[in-house]
Amino acid sequence: MTIKFENNIHSFKENLSEYLPGNSIDCIIFGYQNQELHILLLQWKFTENWALPGGFIDKEEDMDAAAKRILFDRTNLTDIFLKQFHTFGNKKRGNDKNKFKPNLERNLLEQIFGESEAIINWLSNRFISTGYFALVDLEKTNPKPDLLSEKCEWKPLKEIPTLIMDHNEIITKALEQLRIQLNHLPIGKALLPTKFTMQDLQKLYEAILQKPLERSNFQRKILKLDILNRHEKKMEGGSHKAPYLYSFDKIKYTELIKYGIGFL
Amino acid sequence: MTIKFENNIHSFKENLSEYLPGNSIDCIIFGYQNQELHILLLQWKFTENWALPGGFIDKEEDMDAAAKRILFDRTNLTDIFLKQFHTFGNKKRGNDKNKFKPNLERNLLEQIFGESEAIINWLSNRFISTGYFALVDLEKTNPKPDLLSEKCEWKPLKEIPTLIMDHNEIITKALEQLRIQLNHLPIGKALLPTKFTMQDLQKLYEAILQKPLERSNFQRKILKLDILNRHEKKMEGGSHKAPYLYSFDKIKYTELIKYGIGFL
């Protein structure tokens, strides 16, 4: 079951039997730009199909480590906020040897892996896939396609195309989890510059929640969390109405991530 | 790979190859009694080892359906609160053909399944296990051991013994998730009788959070959620200080479960 390809993209091993069979990982990598959430997507070779970045778990590798590796391979980033959020195990996910036949994916696999039935059989199995979401500073990423894909690009949330398999559902679930997290954990450190205005923070929350928030109410509730340090005003032409700059207090932020924001 | 056993416990198929390889489910079934959380545990045959109820996923079965089936097999309950909370995929979880050797589990497996290397090999693989937690009315359950186990019993949280593999860690994670849920979702409908006093509800929250809560503060915050209906007083010897009985308002409770309790 040896795959012949240039071994420069180490998300795929030369020998698929080194991976756990029937288990995969899908990564929803969120970035933030122009007051909009973005997601990193791959376009598969020889097709119009877009997909989430993903991969398999080495038999000698922790699942979390596999997710970190996949993320690194696509973004060149380490030390990022990465969180397992849900495992997808519907039977419609596979166990169907015909799922690549006659459509384009099979064609693609054959072009990449050759006419190997063994590989196509391996890939055609039903996979239980664990989803991880990551929050990254989009500016720092250097997106790289993987072996199966032609392009690796940031897409704004409202321009996500129809993806392969259940990948759109996986994004919906990731967004739902991100919104729950937002109400339970401070989120923003990974997505904003070190110093930001209260309005920057509110815009990020609005982009995630996909709804407008009332300004003074938002400010009151965020300040009550006691995780921000206030700095100098942001000078823009010297107006005395210039907004203050804030940064997250690292210790308090970390403490709050540990215990969460509860209603009790 | 046919297993010879009385086929009266349908959590296990006669042919393990009907299951997805390398994927399992572990269930943390919470009940509540005497103001304490309890967890349903199994004691394996011929050993002193305790374990969480669990099982495998049929190749033609949704993963959620498999969790429901396992839960039903152990408790005889359907229509219960069941939630996937985390997937456990550390490499230390297996892929070690010696893990049953020379200890008691291998002995147990051989006594049940016979000397079949194929079965022991199948079970010795590294399993990625998805955890589900369930909240059930302990009084309504009729716990039944599975094929591998001698006993199936409710254990209060503070009397959980050392379990096999990483099952104690799985419980810790389930409790962490239950506490997060408690701050985000109304929890109690599955664990309390239809009518309860404010004190009953507070005791439940305290049992889950494992800390005392301040009475008037708790009452104020719970009432603010607007999910309770107030009924007659609970008469106990006719004292005028008798506490009111409450029930969850089904519509408002369901609505709140949908959107959660946020800090925004």
Side-chain angles (χ1 to χ4, degrees):
Chain A
M1 210 195 274
T2 302
I3 304 174
K4 290 174 199 69
F5 60 87
E6 303 126 79
N7 188 15
N8 57 352
I9 295 157
H10 64 279
S11 256
F12 286 90
K13 294 213 177 257
E14 292 195 27
N15 198 328
L16 287 178
S17 66
E18 290 179 39
Y19 293 115
L20 292 178
N23 286 290
S24 60
I25 286 176
D26 285 303
C27 290
I28 296 80
I29 310 177
F30 289 110
Y32 180 66
Q33 196 173 48
N34 303 328
Q35 302 185 355
E36 271 190 285
L37 273 187
H38 289 60
I39 293 177
L40 197 64
L41 293 178
L42 298 166
Q43 188 172 34
W44 283 21
K45 279 176 183 164
F46 317 117
T47 78
E48 299 296 307
N49 293 349
W50 289 84
L52 288 168
F56 306 115
I57 305 156
D58 188 294
K59 285 182 177 171
E60 304 300 328
E61 181 182 42
D62 287 342
M63 189 167 69
D64 287 354
K68 272 184 202 157
R69 168 177 54 78
I70 293 162
L71 219 72
F72 174 75
D73 287 348
R74 297 286 74 69
T75 62
N76 231 14
L77 292 181
T78 53
D79 193 26
I80 55 189
F81 182 97
L82 178 68
K83 202 170 183 321
Q84 188 201 114
F85 68 93
H86 195 74
T87 295
F88 299 86
N90 279 351
K91 63 183 175 212
K92 70 172 181 193
R93 300 199 95 250
N95 209 19
D96 173 8
K97 288 194 180 166
N98 293 316
K99 79 175 170 187
F100 297 111
K101 200 183 337 183
N103 67 11
L104 290 165
E105 284 86 351
R106 188 183 175 95
N107 202 352
L108 162 65
L109 292 172
E110 283 177 355
Q111 292 209 43
I112 292 172
F113 298 121
E115 283 277 358
S116 164
E117 276 304 310
I119 288 167
I120 290 182
N121 281 347
W122 194 89
L123 291 168
S124 301
N125 274 320
R126 175 175 164 193
F127 279 82
I128 301 275
S129 193
T130 298
Y132 283 78
F133 71 75
L135 305 178
V136 308
D137 185 343
L138 188 152
E139 309 285 348
K140 284 187 192 152
T141 59
N142 179 17
K144 271 187 300 190
D146 68 6
L147 182 71
L148 295 171
S149 55
E150 190 66 41
K151 293 183 191 166
C152 183
E153 286 176 8
W154 288 105
K155 296 278 183 195
L157 210 51
K158 61 186 175 208
E159 289 169 30
I160 304 293
T162 300
L163 307 176
I164 62 159
M165 293 178 63
D166 56 354
H167 287 195
N168 290 92
E169 289 167 46
I170 293 178
I171 290 179
T172 301
K173 187 77 181 177
L175 277 166
E176 182 193 304
Q177 287 300 310
L178 182 61
R179 284 169 194 146
I180 289 176
Q181 298 288 325
L182 193 63
N183 256 320
H184 180 70
L185 298 176
I187 283 178
K189 217 161 166 296
L191 295 171
L192 288 174
T194 313
K195 288 187 183 179
F196 48 85
T197 66
M198 190 58 75
Q199 194 189 20
D200 294 335
L201 188 59
Q202 183 177 340
K203 290 288 176 200
L204 171 66
Y205 270 68
E206 289 176 343
I208 294 174
L209 294 171
Q210 295 278 291
K211 67 175 184 191
L213 298 168
E214 201 276 306
R215 198 178 62 86
S216 64
N217 197 31
F218 176 79
Q219 177 158 343
R220 184 176 56 78
K221 287 182 172 174
I222 287 289
L223 289 176
K224 206 176 154 199
L225 294 181
D226 189 28
I227 49 168
L228 296 179
N229 291 322
R230 199 172 81 174
H231 301 279
E232 69 284 2
K233 288 190 174 188
K234 185 181 181 183
M235 297 313 276
E236 282 170 329
S239 159
H240 66 285
K241 284 198 170 174
Y244 281 106
L245 286 167
Y246 293 89
S247 67
F248 290 108
D249 184 294
K250 205 177 164 188
I251 292 171
K252 290 176 179 172
Y253 189 95
T254 309
E255 194 70 2
L256 190 55
I257 279 202
K258 222 157 109 197
Y259 295 105
I261 305 161
F263 88 98
L264 284 178
Chain B
M1 210 194 274
T2 303
I3 304 175
K4 290 171 201 72
F5 60 87
E6 301 125 81
N7 190 16
N8 58 351
I9 296 156
H10 64 280
S11 256
F12 286 89
K13 295 211 177 259
E14 292 196 27
N15 198 326
L16 287 178
S17 67
E18 289 179 42
Y19 293 114
L20 293 178
N23 287 290
S24 60
I25 286 177
D26 285 303
C27 291
I28 295 81
I29 310 177
F30 289 110
Y32 181 66
Q33 197 175 46
N34 303 328
Q35 303 187 352
E36 272 190 282
L37 273 188
H38 289 61
I39 294 177
L40 197 63
L41 293 179
L42 298 167
Q43 188 174 32
W44 283 20
K45 280 176 183 164
F46 316 117
T47 78
E48 299 294 308
N49 293 348
W50 289 83
L52 289 167
F56 306 115
I57 306 157
D58 188 295
K59 285 182 176 170
E60 303 302 328
E61 180 182 44
D62 287 343
M63 190 168 67
D64 287 354
K68 272 184 203 159
R69 169 177 53 79
I70 293 163
L71 219 69
F72 174 76
D73 288 348
R74 296 285 74 70
T75 63
N76 231 14
L77 293 180
T78 54
D79 193 26
I80 54 188
F81 182 97
L82 179 67
K83 199 168 188 317
Q84 188 202 114
F85 69 93
H86 195 76
T87 294
F88 300 86
N90 279 352
K91 64 182 174 214
K92 69 171 180 194
R93 300 199 94 253
N95 209 19
D96 174 9
K97 287 191 182 168
N98 293 317
K99 79 174 168 186
F100 296 114
K101 203 182 336 183
N103 67 12
L104 290 165
E105 284 86 352
R106 186 180 177 99
N107 200 352
L108 161 66
L109 292 171
E110 283 177 356
Q111 292 209 41
I112 293 171
F113 298 122
E115 281 281 354
S116 165
E117 276 304 309
I119 287 168
I120 290 181
N121 281 346
W122 194 89
L123 291 168
S124 301
N125 273 320
R126 174 175 165 193
F127 279 81
I128 300 275
S129 193
T130 298
Y132 283 78
F133 72 76
L135 305 178
V136 307
D137 184 342
L138 186 152
E139 308 284 348
K140 284 187 192 150
T141 59
N142 179 18
K144 271 187 301 189
D146 68 6
L147 181 70
L148 295 172
S149 54
E150 191 65 42
K151 294 184 190 166
C152 184
E153 286 176 8
W154 288 106
K155 295 277 184 195
L157 210 52
K158 61 185 174 207
E159 289 169 30
I160 306 291
T162 301
L163 307 177
I164 62 160
M165 291 178 65
D166 57 354
H167 287 195
N168 289 92
E169 288 167 46
I170 294 178
I171 291 179
T172 301
K173 188 76 181 175
L175 277 167
E176 181 194 305
Q177 287 300 309
L178 183 60
R179 286 170 192 145
I180 290 175
Q181 298 286 325
L182 193 64
N183 256 320
H184 179 71
L185 298 176
I187 284 179
K189 218 160 164 299
L191 295 173
L192 287 174
T194 314
K195 288 188 183 177
F196 47 84
T197 65
M198 190 57 76
Q199 196 191 17
D200 293 335
L201 188 59
Q202 183 176 338
K203 290 289 175 200
L204 172 64
Y205 270 68
E206 289 176 344
I208 295 174
L209 294 171
Q210 295 277 293
K211 66 175 183 188
L213 298 168
E214 201 276 307
R215 197 179 63 87
S216 64
N217 197 32
F218 176 80
Q219 176 157 342
R220 184 176 56 78
K221 287 181 172 174
I222 287 289
L223 290 175
K224 205 175 157 199
L225 294 180
D226 189 28
I227 50 168
L228 296 179
N229 291 322
R230 198 172 82 172
H231 302 281
E232 71 284 5
K233 288 191 175 187
K234 185 180 179 184
M235 296 314 275
E236 283 170 328
S239 158
H240 67 285
K241 284 197 171 173
Y244 281 106
L245 286 166
Y246 293 88
S247 67
F248 290 108
D249 184 295
K250 203 177 165 187
I251 293 170
K252 289 176 178 171
Y253 189 96
T254 310
E255 195 71 1
L256 190 55
I257 279 200
K258 221 158 110 196
Y259 296 105
I261 306 160
F263 88 98
L264 285 177

